[in-house]
Amino acid sequence: DAIIILGTPVEEDLKRRTRRALRAHDEEVDSKVYVASGGKTPQTDPKYKNQAHMIYKQLREAGVRPVEIRIEGRSQNSIDNVLYSLKKIEGTEVGVVSNPRHLDRIEYIVEKGKQDGSIDKNVHIHRIETESPVGGSTFERIYEGLIMAYTKYKLRNGLRNSSSYGWLPNLVGTTMNYLLKKVQKRKE
């Protein structure tokens, strides 16, 4: 029914996700719309309103019509991505584009939402995987491990009222995104 493209402040990773969504739309998934998901974070390039705007621009450049794109520009984290993006679509078959470890976290969030009734039990997530921006490195395993542990802690009592992550994940995320950009520049 839809493909959700999860935002990231790393523009090259965002382009990778958008290209993968376009390919999935053409080859694998019968979707009616794309959901560009991602708010403005401290790491977002200032020339864009938010991460969703970056995705929207890339989809438009690829020839996707505006009527086929939904904008979710409020989210500040993966919990928000799930909650706000699902409100933008009709239907229960949803492709989600990101790297494998991030998709593990998304599936966990959706399951917790189904358990407490904040997400329709009929929603089915289809993983649309991209390569990791750092190739599954120790760096990524540490980052995703920390964020997954915090997500589990945050959702220990369910999904309702859990969208605000707080200062710790924001600090970890900001630090990791900074380091990720450094690693990517070294590869160039």
Side-chain angles (χ1 to χ4, degrees):
D1 297 314
I3 295 176
I4 298 171
I5 306 168
L6 298 174
T8 173
V10 181
E11 192 165 0
E12 193 53 45
D13 194 23
L14 199 58
K15 288 178 183 176
R16 183 182 301 109
R17 291 178 188 186
T18 304
R19 285 191 304 268
R20 181 68 180 96
L22 291 163
R23 217 170 48 251
H25 180 270
D26 292 343
E27 301 169 3
E28 305 164 36
V29 180
D30 183 27
S31 66
K32 297 174 182 78
V33 297
Y34 295 92
V35 178
S37 181
K40 183 153 187 85
T41 65
Q43 304 87 19
T44 305
D45 187 326
K47 69 182 173 194
Y48 298 104
K49 189 163 75 172
N50 52 40
Q51 294 168 8
H53 179 231
M54 294 167 67
I55 297 167
Y56 177 86
K57 182 176 180 259
Q58 292 168 16
L59 289 170
R60 292 291 297 129
E61 287 172 357
V64 177
R65 298 175 309 150
V67 70
E68 297 174 291
I69 306 170
R70 307 282 186 275
I71 303 290
E72 182 291 294
R74 295 181 354 184
S75 60
Q76 295 297 302
N77 56 59
S78 297
I79 295 172
D80 289 350
N81 284 130
V82 169
L83 291 174
Y84 300 154
S85 294
L86 289 176
K87 290 178 182 176
K88 297 282 185 179
I89 61 174
E90 297 173 16
T92 57
E93 298 299 317
V94 183
V96 181
V97 183
S98 191
N99 68 65
R101 292 180 190 274
H102 192 198
L103 290 173
D104 292 344
R105 194 159 18 109
I106 296 302
E107 289 176 329
Y108 180 81
I109 293 165
V110 169
E111 286 309 310
K112 290 301 271 189
K114 288 179 179 182
Q115 288 172 10
D116 75 8
S118 54
I119 293 178
D120 183 335
K121 290 188 186 305
N122 296 314
V123 168
H124 183 251
I125 299 297
H126 300 272
R127 295 171 68 104
I128 304 173
E129 295 184 0
T130 63
E131 291 180 21
S132 165
V134 290
S137 67
T138 301
F139 166 82
E140 179 192 15
R141 286 191 302 277
I142 292 169
Y143 172 76
E144 285 296 338
L146 287 170
I147 296 301
M148 180 58 129
Y150 191 78
T151 299
K152 287 181 177 184
Y153 172 77
K154 189 73 176 165
L155 299 180
R156 69 194 180 284
N157 296 319
L159 186 60
R160 295 185 193 277
N161 302 316
S162 296
S163 67
S164 177
Y165 266 150
W167 66 270
L168 178 61
N170 290 334
L171 175 62
V172 170
T174 300
T175 303
M176 297 305 255
N177 285 320
Y178 170 78
L179 294 172
L180 178 61
K181 287 178 183 179
K182 289 273 214 196
V183 168
Q184 287 179 331
K185 282 185 181 182
R186 250 190 277 157
K187 286 183 178 180
E188 293 173 357

